[in-house]
Amino acid sequence: MNNNYQKFINRFLLLSCFLIIFDTLIGRCLAVLYHETKNPTIAKMNYSFFETKADILIFGSSRGEGHYIPQIIKDSTGLECFNTSIGGEGIFYSFGLLTNVLTRYKPKLIVYDLAPNVVFDPASIDKISILLPYYKLNREIQAVVALKGSFEKYKMISSIYPYNSLLFKIITGIRKKRNDFQLSNGYKPVYGTLNYFVNSQDDRYREPQNIDTIQIIYFKKFIELCHKAQIPVIVIVSPKYYKTSQFPRTITVFKKITCSYNQLFIDNFTVDGISENSKYFKDPIHLNNIGSELFSKRIASKLKQELSK
Amino acid sequence: MFFIPAYILILAVTIVIDYTAAIYISNSEGKTRKYFLIISIVSTCLVLFIFKYFNFFNANFSLIASFLHLKYPVKFINIILPIGLSFHTFQSLSYVIEVYRGNQLPEKNFGIYSLYVMFYPQLVAGPIERPQNLLHQFYEKHNFEFRRVSEGLKLMLWGLFKKVVVADRLAIYVNAVYNNSEHHTGLSLALATIFFAFQIYCDFSGYSDIAIGSAKVMGFELMTNFRRPYFSRSISEFWKRWHISLSTWFRDYLYISLGGNRVSPYRRYFNLFMTFVVSGFWHGANWTFVIWGGLNGVYLILEIWLNDVREWLFKSSFLRIITNYVLPILITFVLSCFAWIFFRANSLEQSVKIISKIGRLDGPLFMDSPTMIYSFIGLFILFLVEFEEEYSLFSISLLNNKKMAIRFGTYIFLIITILVLGVFDGGQFIYFQF
């Protein structure tokens, strides 16, 4: 029996050694490739985390990414602007990114696009995976990743795991010659027009019952972080098509938090001149390129006013 | 699907009833034995009925009542199905029936009997064990054996690969298409259905491998639950390879009890059909599962009818490989995929709409390049392994190779593939909901 144990332990240790070697080697290669790739999302995230020095930073989800045109904001305010928003991501990504940005420099203004629908995304915790390649940057990011589950810190022992499911994006991005996001400073236009009937009773556009408290906590942390760094934050709820729900409870909660730190909250969820016109929308919750141009012009003038105060 | 500590009481009640009933069955004679058996079966099934089927019957009775303009005052009950209830109910039933049939002595030790029902590797989703196979193992001494532990760990690794690399990856495409079926084309729905066939196979057989492997590590042998079902050349063969512990359970305790094969042909067809309808209903309280089961029953009846034609077709052809292997495997696969539509769809109405769209096979294919590429890599590895296991064309065994370098290389390849391509945010095992 002793021989059985000994043999098992020997083989187990040998296998573990090989596994550590291969995991480290492959993980290192993936890390290098991850920072080299020109996949639009990954390259934009890397740029946001490590390079941007823009005066105005825009944070948000797909609505943030497609609703704010940095060039228009720059032309109006005279300040460099970069849109860090990533489709499908909410406050967790924005908070993780902000913690690292603040270790590098202090932006003059931060705009947070609040997407009320993203607040209820049941997959929001799973989407924290986007921060895995940046896990080692600081403890705040590690705390966000820990929300995924108690085993996450053990999984992160592997050097490969942070790049789980990213191989295809990394490799296809390596072959690209240029970083497309830099041409538009992070703005991703959406083309096409809302050309179908929108049912106001559709569950997808209605405010659910329970607000995700973890997201509220992290939103508060986001505002607090800016407040401590003495960076003004403007929280904006950008337009949606008028037929969808107003999300009144959600907006009230977030507005209260923002105002408690003496920061500006702009509720443009339903706004005259945009919300009622389907030609400005790609779908009920996303402005198209024409709508985003109109909205960016309006917001740029408000930002200019705020900066001049 | 949920674990609620208070629900342990339900398990305790089932255990106490069946433990006591089995002792009384063994100590009595004549009709009294039968009464104890009936008491045991009814009380065990009653628990399952309340938690799993009450609302289903209630909804249907309510529908009938409203159709007949009658008052129907019975309210729905708001309860969650305890995890693994269907599985340990069947394992308990298996025990009392075997004691009644005289194939198993009643277990006197309450702790050992409880362990038989609650043995953790197979508690939540099987394999549904028979008392003759498992109970005696609890009395045996289990020493640490290198070979056995190693085999168990390999099985667990392969099961994990099937679950996180294949099943959960395919689930991304399947869920995207099936959850918005009204916005997807026939082509996308057809591909999603094929993907679902492999998703459910890898999800469930992956779980079974992990369960059997973890039991093996501790020195226990559980029954095989899957034997490469998609290489089946007929539906009857498919059911000898798919969820073996459940299909043999239904064969031994329902089909044979109804008369099995030793009856008139029409009665046999009825027995077959009923067995599969009940099997479908076991999976879930929804008409989609009943139709899925019934459809498989119909396939089997048709197969018996067409047996002579099949024999003639396969023997008379020049292209024997095509007619003996490729064609029957493809036909069986297509038929099982058709039945899976009912299993996966959320309602009968959705199933019908999906089938009519697939029938047209029009429109562009929904592409999610990373998911599709990762899925095909996983499926390709699965195919290579299972093809070699099935036909042994090259006599290569990677996980059990005599050369340590090849074995270790395979372990490392599988672990790294899991880390690179596995889906770690995937859902629960599908069969946990049953």
Side-chain angles (χ1 to χ4, degrees), chain B residues 172-173 176-177 184-185 187-188 191 364-368 372:
Chain B
I172 297 172
Y173 189 88
V177 175
H184 285 280
T185 63
L187 201 59
S188 306
L191 183 65
L365 183 68
F366 165 62
M367 290 290 287
D368 172 3
M372 288 172 98

Side-chain angles (χ1 to χ4, degrees), chain A residues 57-177:
Chain A
L57 283 183
I58 296 159
F59 290 80
S61 59
S62 59
R63 282 162 52 83
E65 195 171 27
H67 290 189
Y68 302 85
I69 305 173
Q71 190 58 47
I72 292 177
I73 295 170
K74 185 187 172 185
D75 293 345
S76 172
T77 61
L79 295 171
E80 287 293 332
C81 176
F82 186 76
N83 190 335
T84 69
S85 310
I86 296 286
E89 295 301 324
I91 188 63
F92 299 122
Y93 172 72
S94 298
F95 177 76
L97 172 60
L98 181 67
T99 57
N100 199 59
V101 166
L102 293 181
T103 60
R104 293 194 296 112
Y105 81 106
K106 184 179 162 185
K108 289 194 173 106
L109 177 68
I110 282 174
V111 173
Y112 182 79
D113 180 83
L114 175 69
N117 57 315
V118 174
V119 176
F120 296 95
D121 183 1
S124 63
I125 293 288
D126 291 343
K127 287 177 178 172
I128 290 173
S129 298
I130 200 166
L131 287 172
L132 292 181
Y134 310 100
Y135 182 80
K136 288 181 180 161
L137 288 178
N138 63 52
R139 283 187 179 178
E140 285 83 3
I141 293 177
Q142 287 163 15
V144 176
V145 170
L147 294 171
K148 271 169 67 66
S150 49
F151 285 108
E152 217 53 31
K153 61 183 170 195
Y154 302 111
K155 290 182 196 167
M156 288 305 296
I157 293 170
S158 161
S159 303
I160 295 176
Y161 179 68
Y163 307 99
N164 168 261
S165 301
L166 290 174
L167 191 65
F168 179 81
K169 282 184 180 174
I170 292 173
I171 290 175
T172 50
I174 291 290
R175 296 174 60 189
K176 286 196 172 184
K177 286 182 181 163

Side-chain angles (χ1 to χ4, degrees), chain A residues 4-5 7-8 11 14-15 18-19 22-23 26 126 129 148 155 158 160-161 164-168, chain B residues 144-146 149 153 169 369-370 373-374 404 407-408 411-412 415-416 418-422 424-425:
Chain A
N4 263 322
Y5 276 122
K7 192 176 171 187
F8 180 78
R11 296 279 169 92
L14 190 63
L15 179 65
F18 279 121
L19 206 55
F22 277 99
D23 179 76
I26 296 171
D126 291 343
S129 298
K148 271 169 67 66
K155 290 182 196 167
S158 161
I160 295 176
Y161 179 68
N164 168 261
S165 301
L166 290 174
L167 191 65
F168 179 81
Chain B
F144 184 92
E145 272 179 49
F146 174 79
V149 172
L153 290 173
R169 181 64 63 187
S369 303
I373 285 174
Y374 298 149
M404 199 169 81
R407 278 201 319 273
F408 270 43
Y411 305 153
I412 290 167
I415 295 170
I416 285 173
I418 288 169
L419 285 168
V420 175
L421 303 181
F424 289 87
D425 304 320

